[in-house]
Each structure stands twice: as structure tokens, then as C-alpha cells.
Amino acid sequence: MIDTLTFGEPTTEFTTSTQPAEATQKIQRKVKRQWSQYGTLHGTYNLINKDKYRGEPNITYRSSWEKKIFYWLDTQPSIKQWGSESVVVSYKTPFDNLLHKYYIDVDFWAKEANSEKEYTHFIVEIKPFCQTIPPVKGPRTRESTYRKACETYITNVCKWNAALEYANKTGKKFKIWTEKG
């Protein structure tokens, strides 16, 4: 049996031929979203607490989760200051053995519970959980898809090792945040 979804009676409410130009523009403004080439939502984050942000005010988020984290950093009272892609670390991959730049997603100063320090400086990478574990080749996985997943994972590990080394040298804490925590 096939499940079907019913959306109600057909309407002409949103057709552009019967709508005046003003109504069409209002509808288009409401639904306007920007999507990246990978199908994730991206755009410019509007600051709430401009004095907490360190850097240029044009903050680009590349996923809906990144946008939520920016909002959390912006509104959380325990966060003293934060920035997006303000820390740059050099790393090499085994694929080309060239130096690449890694723009770490977020860095912030936060008050930690049970800490002797007043504020701790964190640098955080925001990634989907599936990119933080080694890929598994399933029986239906194409060879090219599996190879790309392996390359992504190896590149991420190279980035994280460079970021961890940078954090240890500079007295910061490096974290990877995923949707699973």
C-alpha cells in the first residue's frame, strides 16, 4: 500500500497570473531563501549584541545549525565575546601535500562552570556527525561516493589535528560540535 499526502482543495491563491504584483512580491519575499550548492541553507546572520561580536559584521552562516549556534553565542550571557571564521590555521593533506588554510567556524570566550579562570577561549568546528566518523562502504554505495567520503574524512582529520596543535600552543580549547552533541 502506498501512503499519500493530501494537501486539500486546489486553489489559485498563489498563482502569479491572478495576483497583483504587490502580493506576488510579498509572497516571494517570504519564501526567499538562499541555498548552497550542497543543498544547505546559508545567508547573513544579523547581530543582536553587536558589542559581543569580534570581527566584520557581515557574518555568513553555511547551515541552519550554524545559524542557531550564532544566535546562541549572541544571546548567551556567559559568552563574553565571539567571532566567526576569525581563526585561521594552516594544514596539509596527504592528497597534495600543500599548505591549505582552515577557517575555524567559531571562536569565543566563555565562563566555564567549576573553572579557576575567569574566561576560557574556545575554538569550535561545526560539522555533521557523519563527517566526524570514518565512512563505511555499504553494499549499494558507489565507489566514487565512498572515495569522496573518505577524502572528506581524511581532510577533516588533518584540519582537526592542525587546530588541536594550534589550540595547545596558544592555550585555547578546541571542540567539534555536531548535531548529536
Side-chain angles (χ1 to χ4, degrees), residues 152-181:
T152 299
Y153 176 72
I154 291 168
T155 300
N156 285 338
V157 169
C158 293
K159 289 178 182 181
W160 299 333
N161 287 337
L164 188 59
E165 188 179 317
Y166 168 80
N168 290 336
K169 282 181 185 176
T170 58
K172 299 172 182 161
K173 290 189 177 182
F174 176 68
K175 304 278 184 189
I176 299 169
W177 286 353
T178 69
E179 68 276 12
K180 293 193 175 190

Side-chain angles (χ1 to χ4, degrees), residues 23-48:
T24 304
Q25 288 173 350
K26 285 181 185 176
I27 292 168
Q28 286 174 346
R29 265 189 252 124
K30 280 185 179 178
V31 231
K32 185 179 178 191
R33 293 184 183 241
Q34 297 175 344
W35 298 91
S36 75
Q37 64 183 0
Y38 303 108
T40 57
L41 183 68
H42 73 278
T44 304
Y45 178 75
N46 296 321
L47 286 169
I48 297 167

Side-chain angles (χ1 to χ4, degrees), residues 27-149:
I27 292 168
Q28 286 174 346
R29 265 189 252 124
K30 280 185 179 178
V31 231
K32 185 179 178 191
R33 293 184 183 241
Q34 297 175 344
W35 298 91
S36 75
Q37 64 183 0
Y38 303 108
T40 57
L41 183 68
H42 73 278
T44 304
Y45 178 75
N46 296 321
L47 286 169
I48 297 167
N49 297 309
K50 293 180 184 356
D51 55 323
K52 285 177 74 170
Y53 187 73
R54 199 172 51 90
E56 292 293 319
N58 298 332
I59 310 163
T60 302
Y61 58 88
R62 291 178 179 81
S63 69
S64 58
W65 197 50
E66 222 175 67
K67 183 180 178 182
K68 288 175 188 173
I69 289 173
F70 289 173
Y71 176 79
W72 180 81
L73 290 167
D74 204 8
T75 57
Q76 197 67 3
S78 63
I79 305 296
K80 179 182 178 183
Q81 200 176 35
W82 69 283
S84 172
E85 297 184 350
S86 54
V87 175
V88 182
V89 177
S90 296
Y91 71 97
K92 284 185 180 182
T93 64
F95 306 113
D96 58 10
N97 207 26
L98 297 174
L99 274 179
H100 298 272
K101 288 184 178 180
Y102 171 34
Y103 295 89
I104 299 175
D105 289 332
V106 177
D107 71 301
F108 62 93
W109 287 262
K111 183 91 170 145
E112 274 191 293
N114 304 327
S115 175
E116 293 180 17
K117 287 184 176 180
E118 190 169 326
Y119 286 95
T120 304
H121 191 175
F122 291 89
I123 54 175
V124 177
E125 173 67 10
I126 302 164
K127 279 286 181 209
F129 180 75
C130 65
Q131 290 183 11
T132 63
I133 56 173
V136 178
K137 187 172 185 325
R140 293 183 172 199
T141 308
R142 290 184 187 169
E143 189 63 36
S144 61
T145 303
Y146 178 67
R147 190 178 315 115
K148 181 68 177 165

